[in-house]
Amino acid sequence: MKNLKRQWKFIVVLIAGAVGLISQFALHSKSLFSIGNLQFPVHAIIIDIIGILMAISLLLEIFHDWKTGRYGVDILAVIAVVSTILIGDVWAEWMILVMMTGGETLEDYATGQANKELRALLDKTPRIANKLVDGKITEVKVDDLQVGDTVLIKPGQQVPVDGQIVKGTSSFDQSSLTGESVPVTKNPGDELMSGSVNGDVAVEMKVTKAAKDSEYQSIVALVKSSQAQPAKFVKMADRYAIPFTVISLIIGGVAWAVSGDATRFAEVMVVASPCPLLIAAPVALVSGMSSMSAHHIIVKSGPTLEKLARAKTFAFDKTGTLTENQLIVDQVVTDDKSFDQKELQSLAASVEQQSSHVIASSLVKATDKDLIHPVTNLKETTAQGVEGDVDGKHVKVGKLSFVAPGHEKLNVTSTAVYVSVDGKFAGYITLKDKMRPESPKTIERLRRQGAEDIMMLTGDHKQVAEKVAKEAGITDVRSELLPSQKIQAIKDVPKHLRPVVITGDGVNDAPSLTAADVGIAMGAKGAKGATAASESADAVIMVNDISKVNDAVAISKHTMKVANIDVLTAIGVVIIIELIAFTGVIPAFWGAILQEVVDMITISLGLLAKTKPSDKQFGLEEK
C-alpha cells in the first residue's frame, strides 16, 4: 500500500505539471489573485497546492522517522519546496517535486517483490485431515481437530497436526523440518510432527496437539514474529543525511545573512535539494539487482545489497544447502572374509533394487548396473528391511535387529544398512549426505571476501553435522537445533560480527531466514521446502549452486562501492553549486535545471553498478 501511495504521488505531480503547462502556455492563464508582489495564476495555484500537500506528507513521514531514531535528508526537500513557494518560483518547485517523488518511485521499484514473505508457507499449511469416526473416514478441516481424535495418514500425505502413532509403522520424511537427510521410521507410540511426510504405509495417529499448537504452525508463527521485529538498519543515503543537511543550511543561512535577502536562501535551498542524493543509491541498487538477476540471484530489496556488502557472519543450513540432500555410499565394511566389499555391495543392491525407500534407492543408484543381479523370493518386512535370493544365496538387508539379531552392540554412528548372507552377518554399508562439490570452495572464498565468522546451523545429529562441517571447512557447528534455537543462535551473534547472513532451503529454515539480517534461500525448483524458504528470504538463488552466495557478496560490494562514489560525487557537486548560488548568480529556476544536470550525472554513475566486480570482490584472489 505504501508503494502504491508513492507511485500515485509521482503520477499526481506529473499530471499537475501537465495541467500547469497547458494552463500557462496554451490557455494563457491569468492571476486569480495576488499577495504583495506575488501573483497566483491558475498553474501556480495547482502546483502550489500539490507542493503544500507533498510537504505536509513528507513532514509526517519525517516525524515518524524521528520517533524511530532515523534521520534522513527529506527535511531539505521540504525546505526547498516551501522556499520556492514563498519566492513564487513555480517551475523550480515542480522540478523539485518531480525528482523527490520520482526518486521514491524508483526505490519502490527496486523493492517490488518484498511483500510476499509468507504466501507459500501459508499455502502449504495442511488444511484437510482424514478423521476416523467409527472406522469410517471423514474429511475435516485441520483447525477442527481436537486432542484425542484419530486421524488416518495415507502414503505420501503430510501430517496435519502433532500426534502419536496408534497403529501402523512407516518412515517419515522430516528433512524440511529438522534437517535430517534420512527418513525416520516411526512405530506405534512414537510422536509425529506436523509437516512431516508419510512414506509408503498408511498409519493411524492420535491427535496430541491442536493445529495452532503444532510444529508446522509454530514455524509459521515464528516467521511472523521474526518479520514483525526486523533488525534495525541505517541505509547508506541516511548516513550522509545529517552532515549534508547541516552544511546546506549553513551555506543558505550565511547567504541570507550576508545579502539580507530571503530569496538568496531559497536559491541555495533549491540547489541543495537532496534529489541527487535520493536518486544515487536507488539507481545503483537497481543496477546491482539487475546484475544479480543476470547471475541467477533474485534480490527483493535494495537494503539487502547494503547488508550483504557489509556482512561479517555467514550461517548455513546443512541438508540441501551445503549438501545435496542425496545419499551416497560412504563405506562398505565386511565381517566375513568370504565376501569382499564389491560383492557385499552387489548382493545388497540386488535385494534392494525393487524398494522405494530412499536408502535403498540411493544404494542401488551408487552401484554399477552390471553388479545388480536378479532377485527371487523377495519379501519386505515393513520398517525393518528386505530379503531375497540372489545367485543362490539368501540375502537380508535392513536394520541390524532384523538382519543379525545378537549383533546389536555394534556401534555405527552413520546412516547404515546391515547385510547377512545365508543367516550369517556379512557386514554393513554406510551412507552419507552428498556434499555439494562447490561447498568447500564457497566457504574458502567467503573468508577471502571478508567473512569473520562462518557457522553451520542444523537440526541433524551431532556426528553427522560435524563430519559435513569438517569436509566443508566450517569449525563453528551447531547441531540438533529446532527452528526457535536457530533464531536464538542468530540473535546471539554479537554486534561487532553483524550483519548476519544465513542460507537455507527448507521449511524449518524459514523463520531464521526472516530473523537474520539477510536470508538467502536455495530456491531451485523442486527442492523440498524451497518455496516456503524463498518467500521468507531477502534473496533467492534460482539455480542449484551454493557458490552463488559468493557472487551475491561480490556484486553487493561492487554495487555499494559504486553507490558510495555516486553519493559522494553528488554531494560534492551540489555543495559547489550551493556555493555558486551563495553569490546570487543562479536564479531558483536555473538552480532547479542544474539539479537536473546533477541528477543525470548521478544516474550515469549509478548505472556503473552493472559492470563486473573485481576478482578480489569475488573472492578469487588471495588476501
Side-chain angles (χ1 to χ4, degrees):
M1 185 63 71
K2 184 177 180 181
N3 291 356
L4 188 61
K5 181 181 176 182
R6 286 180 165 183
Q7 291 172 10
W8 274 109
K9 283 183 180 179
F10 182 55
I11 292 171
V12 168
V13 169
L14 291 179
I15 292 173
V19 173
L21 284 171
I22 293 171
S23 173
Q24 181 176 3
F25 298 107
L27 302 180
H28 305 289
S29 64
K30 297 180 179 180
S31 297
L32 296 182
F33 61 90
S34 61
I35 300 176
N37 294 325
L38 295 179
Q39 302 294 315
F40 290 92
V42 174
H43 71 277
I45 294 173
I46 293 172
I47 294 175
D48 283 348
I49 289 174
I50 298 299
I52 291 169
L53 292 175
M54 293 293 177
I56 292 173
S57 174
L58 206 53
L59 281 171
L60 292 174
E61 290 181 20
I62 291 170
F63 179 69
H64 178 268
D65 288 343
W66 283 355
K67 288 197 300 181
T68 59
R70 176 176 173 264
Y71 303 92
V73 293
D74 295 336
I75 189 65
L76 279 179
V78 174
I79 294 173
V81 170
V82 173
S83 299
T84 51
I85 291 174
L86 292 177
I87 65 172
D89 199 324
V90 175
W91 293 113
E93 174 193 351
W94 180 75
M95 286 190 175
I96 293 170
L97 292 174
V98 168
M99 297 314 299
M100 185 174 70
T101 56
E104 291 177 341
T105 303
L106 184 62
E107 187 173 9
D108 289 340
Y109 168 77
T111 61
Q113 299 300 314
N115 295 320
K116 293 182 179 178
E117 286 83 1
L118 295 176
R119 186 186 64 200
L121 187 60
L122 296 174
D123 286 346
K124 285 182 174 288
T125 303
R127 288 184 170 84
I128 300 295
N130 297 315
K131 182 178 177 181
L132 287 173
V133 182
D134 298 328
K136 295 182 179 180
I137 298 176
T138 304
E139 285 194 352
V140 298
K141 293 181 179 179
V142 170
D143 291 338
D144 293 336
L145 288 174
Q146 303 292 322
V147 174
D149 286 346
T150 301
V151 176
L152 177 68
I153 304 170
K154 299 178 181 179
Q157 284 189 335
Q158 199 174 38
V159 178
V161 293
D162 290 359
Q164 185 180 58
I165 294 179
V166 295
K167 183 179 180 181
T169 297
S170 186
S171 60
F172 286 81
D173 184 350
Q174 302 179 153
S175 60
S176 65
L177 291 165
T178 66
E180 293 174 286
S181 53
V182 181
V184 180
T185 299
K186 298 288 186 177
N187 301 298
D190 289 342
E191 301 292 331
L192 290 178
M193 292 187 293
S194 61
S196 55
V197 180
N198 190 12
D200 302 324
V201 182
V203 299
E204 294 181 13
M205 180 192 79
K206 183 175 70 175
V207 176
T208 58
K209 289 182 181 179
K212 63 183 178 66
D213 301 318
S214 292
E215 185 67 23
Y216 195 97
Q217 286 77 4
S218 69
I219 291 177
V220 174
L222 279 172
V223 175
K224 289 180 177 178
S225 174
S226 299
Q227 191 179 21
Q229 302 172 9
K232 290 185 177 179
F233 180 72
V234 180
K235 293 194 292 184
M236 181 194 69
D238 292 341
R239 293 198 296 273
Y240 295 109
I242 292 178
F244 179 66
T245 301
V246 170
I247 291 172
S248 297
L249 289 174
I250 288 174
I251 293 174
V254 172
W256 187 353
V258 170
S259 66
D261 185 358
T263 301
R264 191 69 58 82
F265 175 79
E267 289 170 350
V268 172
M269 287 301 100
V270 168
V271 296
S273 169
C275 295
L277 188 59
L278 293 173
I279 286 176
V283 169
L285 294 178
V286 170
S287 298
M289 291 166 74
S290 175
S291 182
M292 287 279 201
S293 296
H295 285 77
H296 307 289
I297 307 163
I298 304 301
V299 176
K300 297 180 180 179
S301 68
T304 296
L305 275 76
E306 297 190 49
K307 296 174 189 176
L308 266 173
R310 294 162 52 195
K312 296 180 179 179
T313 297
F314 289 82
F316 291 88
D317 172 50
K318 180 187 76 68
T319 306
T321 304
L322 291 170
T323 68
E324 294 185 354
N325 198 12
Q326 175 186 333
L327 294 176
I328 58 172
V329 172
D330 185 20
Q331 291 180 306
V332 180
V333 181
T334 62
D335 194 56
D336 189 332
K337 294 181 180 179
S338 301
F339 304 101
D340 59 21
Q341 293 176 331
K342 187 176 181 180
E343 187 175 5
L344 184 69
Q345 183 173 341
S346 171
L347 291 171
S350 297
V351 175
E352 293 273 36
Q353 61 184 299
Q354 295 183 31
S355 175
S356 60
H357 193 280
V358 65
I359 293 179
S361 59
S362 298
L363 176 58
V364 172
K365 188 176 180 180
T367 304
D368 192 317
K369 291 182 180 180
D370 294 336
L371 296 177
I372 299 177
H373 305 295
V375 59
T376 58
N377 301 320
L378 186 66
K379 179 183 176 183
E380 182 169 358
T381 302
T382 303
Q384 295 297 318
V386 295
E387 57 186 302
D389 296 329
V390 180
D391 294 337
K393 302 179 181 69
H394 187 70
V395 183
K396 296 178 75 173
V397 182
K399 289 186 174 180
L400 187 58
S401 58
F402 169 72
V403 167
H407 286 71
E408 282 81 359
K409 291 184 179 180
L410 184 64
N411 183 24
V412 180
T413 57
S414 305
T415 299
V417 290
Y418 301 87
V419 186
S420 70
V421 180
D422 293 331
K424 185 178 180 181
F425 181 62
Y428 59 89
I429 301 171
T430 64
L431 298 98
K432 65 178 182 178
D433 198 357
K434 184 179 180 182
M435 173 72 69
R436 290 182 185 273
E438 71 273 15
S439 289
K441 192 68 175 179
T442 297
I443 302 304
E444 180 186 347
R445 285 175 59 192
L446 280 175
R447 291 194 172 97
R448 292 180 185 175
Q449 289 174 302
E452 296 184 23
D453 185 28
I454 300 176
M455 56 184 174
M456 177 196 289
L457 304 178
T458 178
D460 213 342
H461 301 296
K462 182 178 180 181
Q463 294 92 336
V464 177
E466 289 181 344
K467 193 171 183 179
V468 171
K470 184 178 180 180
E471 191 176 345
I474 298 175
T475 56
D476 187 354
V477 186
R478 323 283 178 89
S479 56
E480 301 180 16
L481 300 179
L482 295 173
S484 58
Q485 292 172 315
K486 287 187 178 182
I487 290 177
Q488 192 58 49
I490 292 169
K491 289 181 177 179
D492 289 343
V493 174
K495 189 175 181 180
H496 71 278
L497 289 177
R498 290 183 174 275
V500 179
V501 178
I502 183 168
T503 305
D505 77 314
V507 173
N508 66 313
D509 298 317
S512 50
L513 290 176
T514 310
D517 297 303
V518 177
I520 301 177
M522 297 293 293
K525 187 176 181 181
K528 294 174 182 176
T531 306
S534 299
E535 294 294 345
S536 301
D538 301 295
V540 183
I541 296 173
M542 301 305 295
V543 292
N544 207 21
D545 182 357
I546 198 175
S547 70
K548 291 297 177 182
V549 174
N550 297 128
D551 293 351
V553 172
I555 294 169
S556 297
K557 287 181 179 294
H558 178 62
T559 298
M560 296 319 301
K561 180 179 179 180
V562 170
N564 274 287
I565 291 173
D566 198 3
V567 168
L568 290 173
T569 300
I571 289 175
V573 173
V574 168
I575 289 176
I576 290 172
I577 297 175
E578 286 178 18
L579 293 173
I580 296 172
F582 178 95
T583 65
V585 299
I586 304 178
F589 177 79
W590 287 106
I593 295 294
L594 282 174
Q595 272 281 310
E596 303 308 303
V597 175
V598 177
D599 292 339
M600 293 306 298
I601 295 172
T602 299
I603 291 171
S604 299
L605 286 174
L607 292 174
L608 292 176
K610 276 190 161 186
T611 58
K612 183 182 177 181
S614 66
D615 285 348
K616 184 176 181 180
Q617 288 169 325
F618 270 118
L620 298 174
E621 290 183 354
E622 294 286 352
K623 280 190 174 181

